[in-house]
Each structure stands twice: as structure tokens, then as C-alpha cells.
Amino acid sequence: MADNTVNLTIDDKAVVAPKGMNLIEAAKLVGIEIPHYCYHPKLCIAGNCRMCLVDVGMPKLGADRKPEIGSDGKMVVMFGPKLVIGCNTTVADGMVVLTKSPKVVKAREGVMEFLLINHPLDCPICDQAGECRLQEFSVDYGKAESRFVEEKVHKPKKTALNAKITLDDERCILCSRCIRFMRDVAGQDCLGFIQRGSHSTLTCYLGNEPKTNYDLNIVDICPVGALTSNDFRFQQRVWFLKQTKSICPNCATGCNTVIWSREDVVYRQTPRDNNDVNQCWMCDYGRINYKFINDPHRLTTPSVKSATLGQRVNLTWPEAIRQVVDKLRAAKRDSLAVIGSARATTEELYLLKKFSPSFAAYIPRVGTGDNFLLNTDRNPNAAGAMLTGFSSDYSVIADGIADGKIKTLIVLGEDAIVPELLAKLELLIVLDILPGKTTEAAHYILPGVTFAEKSGTFINAKNRIQRLNPAIPPLVGTKPEHLILSALLAELGGKRYATIQEVFADMTRDVPALAGLNLSKIGDSGVEVKS
Amino acid sequence: MTVPVELERHIDEIVTHYPPDKTRAATLWLCHLLQEYFGFLGDEQVLWISNKLGLQPINVWEVVTFYPMFTTKPHGKFHVKVCRTLSCELCGCKNIVAHLRKKLGVGLDENTTDGLFTISTVECLALCGTGPVMMINDETFENLTTEKVDAIIDRIRTTGRLDAQPLPMPLAAHPLEKRVLLSNITKPGYTGSLADYEREGGYTALRKALAMKPDEIVAEVKNSEIRGRGGAGFPCGLKWSFLAKGTGKPVYLVCNADESEPGTFKDRQLISYDPHLLIEGILISCHAVGAKVAYIYIRGEMPGGAKILQKAIEEARAKGYVGNGVEIYVHRGAGAYICGEETGLIESLEGKRAYPRIKPPFPAVVGLFGCPTVVNNVETLANIPHIINKGSTWFKTMGVSGSTGTRLVCVSGPVKRPGYYEFEMGKLTLRQLIFDVCGGLKDGRTLKGVIPGGSSMPVMKADQIDVPLDFESLRKAGTMAGSGGIIVLDDSVDIVGATLNVAQFYAHESCGQCTPCREGTLWMEKMLHRIERGEGRPLDVEMLYEVADNIDGKTICPLGEAAAWPVKAFVTKYREEFEKHGG
Ligand SMILES: Cc1cc2nc3c(=O)[nH]c(=O)nc-3n(C[C@H](O)[C@H](O)[C@H](O)COP(=O)(O)O)c2cc1C
Ligand code: SF4
Ligand code: SF4
Ligand code: SF4
Ligand code: FES
Ligand code: FES
């Protein structure tokens, strides 16, 4: 037996667990769930909900210090007089844990009943319905019928914890997860319980509300519907929503996320566990910044600026591709530049770079960071841009346009060159999702899609390559950029890529850092690339 | 809001009682001092305290709303607080409350229109032997009658002020008693001053101890087999030997003077009449466990006791007993029973809500300010000088095996001579105590039951009392020696009412941290209220037992059991009385 592991038995299953692990985690290793509310793997242990009570015993040792064998041929186990909480009990060699014994089930039913007697049980109008741990376990352990006939304790309902979060104290089960998160993780000790006993009430001090960039995480970790996000309240029943694994596109940290969508609308983003990136948190700035996906101003049709009519004319996709290819064929290769966005995927950037071996730059995007998740680099894929040959110094391109060296420009999702310069170009092709100064100046607009509508990868500040997955179909009239670029390249005599996998495979040959990788190797949690 | 310079200076001094990076611990003191001055703790006071101690306002607000002695709005100039807990209820405190309400023309927690009075009910004031009792501001009034109440209120009305109440005379010893800890207090002219204490041989044990190695003291205490007197009866020497060693952190000693288990009023006597015995015990214990700082956590409702201790510490400092390597500070609670539980106490000492901690780790490893800590009851510590002076062999000649030494017991309820007594453990039965020592029941009443160790311990029926008073005998009898508070119930007592009174206490005192106790205690109280009103249903008795059972053993701290056991015992032993109330 290795020094740092112990052997124990949980519900007749043999478990090898690392020393120091608690019983909830050890049970998870063998697929056993010990129900719990207050325990959270990333927070300190509170031990207050008492939902995780289990029966723990040790083998009875005979005179020879060896486990005694009973008449039934089984090891005699000495169980403690009391149940213990799984969240604060660490594994020990020889330990025998029962998570479903009658004693445990009775205790759990007791705790469930206690949690429910003063709970409003307004599930039909509760946002949390469908992802409420109380509702979930009450189905398994709660008594169907309440024998509580007394008056319930009343507490403040629907108060504004801050501008982002609504608090319903009657639903709160006082697990203190939110308090511990704000104090120990977000670094603002602002939540607390006031009063005591059954009247205990979660609150913050007036004028000292949660005001960090991480507040919304408490909505995620609240096991019930006591804390709800104003952005999401009553918008949708969660069970109607599709969940898609994604990456936040708002900074170079690349928090792993889940996009919650229905049909072609995205309703929210929540963090997804990845201990190498964001643990299980994300920042509010990133979380909230998804509204552009369903922006009514989205570009939805290719168009050309007609020199004769002096206005924009819509084109069909085949026509647009044909015209752009014609124009590109006529353009001189050494006067062509590309501006890529470090918000674009690595695959898109890789394809874009093929248009111009000489001038390729991306636009840096800098903001204030913190020492937790939010990075000063607000581009999710600057590392990918650099690996695929884009320079952060786009002044070269601006200068090139100014002195007439650059006559053709393809812009992918940026709006950084001033209109006076853009006006000097002979050909400006823009792939973007929303109108801006650059699309206004563009000869051709080819409408692309948002991160929620496509596949691809981002490489974060720590050189971790991570995957995007399409949560919703491309908006009608738009096309994922890798398909647009690959169609153009094919018409210009290059290879025609049918899938993102093919693009990726070629990219691994051209970009040494990515050698040997493929999309399935990257998986859901990403891998570090050689820098 | 301006805090007078004088007061702020006092506050700044208090803050130095705690490690420089742990001044949050001063929160309760600051709340007391600002409330004393401003009359209440509102927004300005909370912000002032949080600024002073470098805390977030929520940290202070949580504390203000946790402790019943703190108020967020002004009371009348004279806050009348009548004990409503069991022993006082048995002595008629309900009449006193009703009388006060009528006399002052206000409901509970309302201020009289002249702003002079507010009446509140409070939980046990550790004066159960002289009930009914009340406090007005910091003064204590015992053995209340309606006439007495009239006199007190009228005098305040006419003079506009509250007279300081003298300490009552200490109770003389009964022939069956063996007074060791209480040996000084009835000596003629004994005042409890340092001079008096030294005249009776005080502080010789400290001198002796200082010449001993700490390990030798621990060994002596271990050999004495003394068990803790706070309620759990844990062997004291063993507890000391569990202290984490070589951690590089300071060790703390905390004296638990929270005395709030209903029916218990023994520590109060030691503090009031012989404070130096406790101080000496603390100093010796500090030497034994290597503590440089000791805190005496005294319940907030004993302001007089806090003053006596403060004065005794100053006397001992003048003599060089305190301050020469060991500091003793008094830390006042603010009216929460759960501060008696040792980890709740530690949290409260740290300036927080008294939320008992999950164990492990135990205080001996991670205690006060994260350091190894010993928590001992007042009476336990008061035994230490005697053990050191006369030796563990002498100590073991008293009491019986497993329960060595003497024990202070407190008797309350309808007996002829309620009060505090000191006996060798195991040498006297409960029957002897009630009938021989306390003179039997009052007014020709008969015995119905006895709660032997504070209201959290299972009640014994009248025919179960031929049991010697020691840890093991009581345990074998299905109950516990607990805190030594013995509450006598006579035949006039309505068991449902008594159960309700006890249930109400624990529901009120539940810290609210863990689910079963937080929800279960209030549920039991509500059920019992309903049963008492005559709206019981046949299934209620069973349900009551089950709810108690669902709390029992499932909680963070033993308050869960303390709330469950009495209900279970009352329901089991007096079932017919519950059924009488039931539909
Ligand atoms: C709910 C509760 C209340 C308690 N109250 C007191 C108390 O008021 N005084 C006390 O000394 N111990 C009290 N205790 C016991 C303490 O937790 C602790 O065991 C004791 O102070 C240790 O001292 P000892 O070993 O000297 O008895 C209480 C325990 C519980 C669970
Ligand atoms: S609001 Fe939610 S997370 Fe916070 S204590 Fe209540 S139940 Fe727990
Ligand atoms: S830290 Fe960066 S990646 Fe994470 S959620 Fe915020 S903006 Fe998005
Ligand atoms: S048992 Fe009661 S008093 Fe003890 S921690 Fe739990 S809620 Fe608080
Ligand atoms: S998970 Fe709440 S007590 Fe263990
Ligand atoms: S003082 Fe009233 S019950 Fe103890």
C-alpha cells in the first residue's frame, strides 16, 4: 500500500482514497453520493447542515491486535454511538462507512424534515426549481406529507442583496456557503447571519453589499433558491435549457463555462469545474457579457458596397464568395494585410494568416485585472494569435495603409483602424458579427458568428488550449468564420476544409507547439501546449 | 455620535487585553461599553466599533443581534429583567411578570411613556435558589413577592435612581456538608479580600506550585482524578495532558464562568465570596499548562461578579501574583447560554457569534485564537489550590472512586431550604439531599420528580431518588450529574408546562447554526405550547418524542442533547400527563 493512501469500505465497496480526504469525496470515488448542503469542496468546512451524517465504524481488534471475525465469518465492526458528518470525517485505514443504513436514513429524513418545516415550499414559482438540492433530496428522503402543523417562521422575502442578486430569506437553509465564499474567496467579508436560533437570517450590512466581480458565484453555490440572479430570474425553467460546455471569451484566463440555451437563445453562462483554470468560479464581468450573442443588430447577410449605387447591396453567400475571390485574385499579394482578432479561434486565425504571409496583426485588449481570475489581457486567445503568426503591433498595418504599401485588408472581428485610413484601401473585406466603423467602410461584409455558435479553440494566458462548442445554431444568414475563410481559400486554389478537425490537423503540422494534438485530446478541460 | 475621551481611553485599554492581531475579541466589551453610554447599539455605534477594531460592520451587527443583552433600540432608563426559566416559574415568576406589567402599564419589551421602565423576561440568571428573581440594570433582586416588587419600583420612582444591592449573606453549612471550596466564606468577618484570603492560608499553594515543575503539577492533578465540574465531567488532568506541545504558539487557559445551565448557581458563589480561590487556581493551572494569559469568561448577567473578579485581579497584581508572567483578563459575555459550551465560548471570546465549532480539532489543539487552549469550569479550577496544597492522596480520601473530591450542588424549586451546598461525592443520596438537607418539600407538598444536573438532564421520578450523588451512580440511574443544579418538582407541577418551560429555554438558546437543533427546538416549543393550550392531538406525544430523537446525537454541539433529553425523559416518564392535555 502506498504511503499516502488508505483502504476503507463504504457500503461494502472497497475504496482506496488519499490520506486526508473526507468521506463525501471518498464515497464519490466509488460512485456513492453522500447528500450534503453546506459542504463545498472549495470552501472551508462548516458542518452545519447535518445532511451528510453517516455511520462510521472500525474493525474490532482481538487480543492479537488482528480484526476479530464474527460467527457469520465477517469482520466484527465497532460502530460509534453517534453518527458522524461525512464532510468533516477523514478516511482511515480499515474504516467501515455506511451511507444507507437504517440509522443513517432515519437521521437524513429527520434533517430533511427539519429543513422543510419552515421552508415556504413555493417550488412552482421558485427559480431554483429543477436545480434545487432541497427539492432533489426531499424527493429521496423527505416525508411526503408534512406533519408540521405549527405556524412557520417568517423572514424577509425578495430583498435586493445588491443590484445583481435577489435574496429570499425564507428559502435560505443557513448553510453559510455564501458567507464563506464572499469572505474567503471573493475577499469581501460582507455577508452574515443576524438574530439566532430558528430566526437566524442571512443578510449584509446596509451600505456594505457584496460589490466584488465575483458576487454571482454565490447564486451558483446556494443549494436552494435563496439567492437568485436578477439577470436570469424567471426567464426560463432550467429543465428546458440545453447545457453546452464552453469557454468564457472575455479574458485570457479562459474560465471553463456552461452555456445555457434554448433553441437559438442563450440565457446564461455559469462556471464549470476546472482546477487548472478557474476551479469552479467565474467573474461577473465575464458571466454577464454574453448579451451580444442575441443582439438584434447582428449582421445577418453578406453585402457589398456598390460603387455605382453608393450604397450597400445584399448578396447571397455564393455570390459574395465569388465576388470576394475575384477581387482577391486581382489584388497584389504583397499589398495584402490581415487583422485578426485575439477573440477569434486559433483555427480561424490559422486560416486567416494564409491570406497574407507578410502583414498579420491582432489588436491587444487590456483592462484592469485582479489577483484571482480576471486577467489584464482581455483577449481570450492572444496566445493563439501569436502562435499562428500574428503580431501585437498593428501600427505596422496602419502605417502601411497610410504610405500606400497596403492596399487590401481583411479584418476578422476588429474595429481598430481609423476610418480615414480605411478609406484609402482599394479593398476592405470584413468578417464580423456586429456593425461598426470598420463594417461601414468595408467593401465586403461577411457576417460571422459568436463564440456560442461555433467550434474551435482558445489558448489562454497559461498556454492552455481549450475548446469551444456550438451551443446554438449560427444565426440565420451567418456562417462560422472558419467556413467562410476556408471557402475563400479553396476558391483561391487552396485546400477545402470540410470540418474544423481538418483545419486543426493541418494547423498541428504548421504550428510546432500544437504538434500531436487533436480536438478530442483537448477534451473538455483543455491541455497545456508547449510554449 | 461622540465617544467621550475618557470612555475611548478605557476602550483602548480593553483592546490591549487581546493579541494585537486579534482585537476583534474586544467586540463584546465595546458593545457593552457603548450600550452603557448610549443606551443602545444603533447604526452609528456599530460603525464606530467596526472602525475601531478594523472590522466589517456586518461582523459587529451579527454579534449585536446574537446576544440578548444587546439592544438595537433604547430601553427605559430602568430595564427590569425577570427570569422566566423553570426554577423561577416553579416559584411563581409568572405572577411577578403579570404584576409588573399591571403596575407599569406596559407589555413586555415596551417602554413606559415616561421612558423610565421596560420589562423583559430573560432566561435563568443563575440565582435559581432564591427565585423568583429579577435584575434591574446591573442590580439583582431575589425572593421576589408582589409587595417587594412594589417597594422596589416605588423607590425608584420616588428617588429616580437605583440603589446598589448588597451581596446576600453566605449560607451557613449544613451538618451533612463537607465544605472545602466553601470553607472560607462563612468565617466571621471574611470578605474575600486578598488579605482575608491570605490570612486563611491563601496563595501558599501558588508558591508551592511555582517551585514545582509544570509536569509535576499536571501529574498531581491527574492523580487526584478530579473530573470537570462544568457539566461533562471530563478528567481534568487528562484534558491538560492533551494540550498540543511544541507548536510554537502560546497556550491559553480559559475559565468558564458562563454559568447558565438552568438550576445552577454555584460558580456565582465562588466568584462572589472567595474570588482569590479562583484566581489562585487559575494561576497554578497556567503554570501547569504553560499559559501566559488566562481569560475568565463570565456571563454578562453577572456584572457584579465581573467587578469582584476585576478587583481581585488588581489586588493580586499589586502583590505580584498576577502580572509576573501570567496575565488574567475578565471577558464579559452578553446573555447567551451557548457561550457555556467551550467552543461556543471560544468563538464568543474571539468576538464572534457563539457558534460552537465542529470537532475535531479540539481546543487542546486548536482553541482560542487558533492556539492550544484549556477550558475549565470555575469550580474545577477552585479545587486546584487545595489539590496542590494537600496533595492528590488527600483529595482522593474525599468522595468515591470515579468521583473524587467534593461537589457543589444547587437545589432549587419548592423545597424548604433551597440553596448551594458542598458534599463529598457519592456520600449522600438525592433523597437525603432533598429531605434531610433541604428539609423536604414546602407547604405539605409531595415529590413528583427531580432534575438532577441542570435542566438538560433527564428527570427522575420520585421513586428513583435513592441514588448517591456522584457521576457514575447518576449515570447508571439513566441520568447525569451534569452541572450540579438540582431542580425539585412537586405534585402541583404541571409536567407539560414544565416541559414547555425547558423546551422554550433551549429553543431560545439554540445558536441556530445546525439544522436539527435550530429547527427542532422551536418545533418542540411550538408543539408544547399547543398541547399546553389543550389543542394536543393523540399523535403529538409520539411526534414530540420523535422530534427530540431526531435532534439527539445529530448536532454540532451537545445543546442538541440538552434540548432533547429532558423532553424525551418527561414524555417517557410522565406520558399520561401529556395524554391528559391531548385531544
Ligand atoms: C450547551 C452547553 C452549555 C454549557 N454551559 C457550561 C457552563 O455554563 N459552565 C461550564 O463550566 N461549562 C459549561 N458547559 C461545559 C463546557 O463545554 C466544558 O465542558 C467545561 O467548561 C469544561 O470545564 P471542566 O472540564 O472543568 O468541567 C456547557 C456545555 C454545553 C454543551
Ligand atoms: S443564501 Fe443560500 S448559500 Fe447563503 S446561507 Fe442561505 S442557503 Fe446557504
Ligand atoms: S476571469 Fe476572464 S475568463 Fe473568467 S469569467 Fe472573467 S472574463 Fe471570463
Ligand atoms: S446544537 Fe444547537 S446550539 Fe449547538 S451548534 Fe447546533 S444549533 Fe448551535
Ligand atoms: S455537508 Fe453539511 S454537515 Fe456535512
Ligand atoms: S434564576 Fe430563574 S431559573 Fe435560574
Side-chain angles (χ1 to χ4, degrees), chain B residues 83 85-88 124-128 133 263:
Chain B
C83 170
T85 315
L86 187 59
S87 306
C88 286
C124 177
L125 292 169
L127 290 161
C128 326
V133 298

Side-chain angles (χ1 to χ4, degrees), chain B residues 102-161:
Chain B
K102 205 162 118 211
K103 185 172 179 70
L104 298 174
V106 285
L108 288 182
D109 300 318
E110 293 170 13
N111 301 348
T112 53
T113 42
D114 56 7
L116 274 187
F117 296 98
T118 310
I119 317 167
S120 302
T121 56
V122 294
E123 298 298 344
C124 177
L125 292 169
L127 290 161
C128 326
T130 45
V133 298
M134 67 180 180
M135 291 182 77
I136 302 181
N137 298 350
D138 283 356
E139 301 302 325
T140 299
F141 301 86
E142 300 167 63
N143 293 310
L144 295 177
T145 57
T146 50
E147 295 77 31
K148 215 162 156 179
V149 166
D150 284 341
I152 295 163
I153 298 293
D154 293 344
R155 185 166 167 80
I156 293 177
R157 275 192 176 142
T158 44
T159 63
R161 55 185 189 83

Side-chain angles (χ1 to χ4, degrees), chain B residues 156-334:
Chain B
I156 293 177
R157 275 192 176 142
T158 44
T159 63
R161 55 185 189 83
L162 179 66
D163 302 321
Q165 299 297 302
L167 268 182
M169 289 296 289
L171 293 181
H174 185 274
L176 284 173
E177 277 188 67
K178 163 90 181 174
R179 288 200 171 182
V180 175
L181 304 184
L182 299 179
S183 59
N184 286 336
I185 69 169
T186 47
K187 285 181 179 153
Y190 191 79
T191 62
S193 69
L194 186 126
D196 288 359
Y197 183 64
E198 287 198 309
R199 195 177 322 115
E200 301 298 335
Y203 287 107
T204 52
L206 176 63
R207 268 181 223 107
K208 191 170 165 191
L210 290 175
M212 292 165 74
K213 288 206 192 73
D215 286 352
E216 291 170 349
I217 306 174
V218 175
E220 199 62 31
V221 171
K222 238 184 189 168
N223 281 338
S224 77
E225 292 169 28
I226 181 173
R227 292 171 64 170
R229 306 302 200 229
F234 195 83
C236 179
L238 193 61
K239 184 191 276 189
W240 291 6
S241 66
F242 285 159
L243 270 178
K245 304 216 167 50
T247 59
K249 292 179 186 167
V251 172
Y252 289 102
L253 183 105
V254 176
C255 169
N256 189 341
D258 192 58
E259 190 158 64
S260 357
E261 173 74 17
T264 318
F265 46 97
K266 63 190 181 69
D267 298 337
R268 175 191 279 278
Q269 317 307 335
L270 292 169
I271 291 167
S272 300
Y273 299 117
D274 212 3
H276 283 285
L277 177 62
L278 175 60
I279 305 287
E280 187 180 13
I282 290 174
L283 291 168
I284 296 170
S285 307
C286 282
H287 181 48
V289 302
K292 304 253 175 300
V293 176
Y295 293 97
I296 304 176
Y297 187 105
I298 185 165
R299 63 178 299 187
E301 299 91 332
M302 290 187 189
K307 282 194 191 107
I308 291 170
L309 286 170
Q310 206 94 56
K311 181 161 164 256
I313 291 168
E314 288 324 309
E315 285 180 321
R317 183 188 307 284
K319 274 279 202 159
Y321 298 136
V322 169
N324 263 332
V326 177
E327 270 304 338
I328 304 178
Y329 298 115
V330 175
H331 184 103
R332 287 186 66 197

Side-chain angles (χ1 to χ4, degrees), chain B residues 520-558:
Chain B
T521 53
L522 187 62
W523 189 2
M524 293 197 299
E525 182 194 330
K526 286 178 174 172
M527 252 155 77
L528 282 157
H529 263 301
R530 187 165 47 74
I531 297 171
E532 203 210 20
R533 280 198 309 267
E535 293 166 28
R537 307 163 303 168
L539 59 102
D540 281 333
V541 186
E542 210 48 55
M543 218 165 96
L544 192 56
Y545 186 92
E546 243 186 81
V547 171
D549 195 51
N550 283 345
I551 303 172
D552 192 355
K554 323 286 192 300
T555 56
I556 292 180
C557 89

Side-chain angles (χ1 to χ4, degrees), chain A residues 45-50 53 82-83 85 87-88 103 106-107 109-111 113-115 117-118 143 147-153 155 173-174 179 188-201 203-206 208, chain B residues 24 42-43 46-47 56-59 61-62 65-68 335-338 353 355 358-360 507-516 518-520 522-523 526-527 530 537 543 546-547 549-551 553-556 561:
Chain A
I45 301 227
N48 60 30
C49 74
R50 315 307 284 180
L53 287 166
K82 286 188 191 181
L83 302 176
I85 48 173
C87 61
N88 195 45
K103 198 171 160 191
K106 179 172 184 292
E109 284 172 357
V111 171
E113 182 176 37
F114 286 139
L115 285 172
I117 54 171
N118 281 308
K143 295 230 165 66
R147 47 179 185 163
F148 180 82
V149 295
E150 327 300 332
E151 165 92 4
K152 291 188 189 225
V153 174
K155 295 184 194 172
I173 59 165
L174 303 159
I179 299 178
Q188 190 197 356
D189 188 3
C190 60
L191 299 182
F193 294 132
I194 57 164
Q195 313 305 339
R196 67 176 191 191
S198 195
H199 304 280
S200 304
T201 304
T203 193
C204 60
Y205 200 78
L206 202 66
N208 206 17
Chain B
R24 180 175 187 171
D43 202 36
V46 167
L47 292 173
Q56 296 302 315
I58 187 75
N59 303 146
W61 192 237
E62 284 186 313
T65 58
F66 184 87
Y67 295 94
Y337 165 70
I338 196 56
R353 292 159 75 80
Y355 276 0
I358 45 171
K359 287 143 236 166
H508 185 258
E509 298 305 328
S510 165
C511 80
Q513 192 185 188
C514 67
T515 310
R518 177 182 68 236
E519 305 300 337
L522 187 62
W523 189 2
K526 286 178 174 172
M527 252 155 77
R530 187 165 47 74
R537 307 163 303 168
M543 218 165 96
E546 243 186 81
V547 171
D549 195 51
N550 283 345
I551 303 172
K554 323 286 192 300
T555 56
I556 292 180
E561 278 95 83

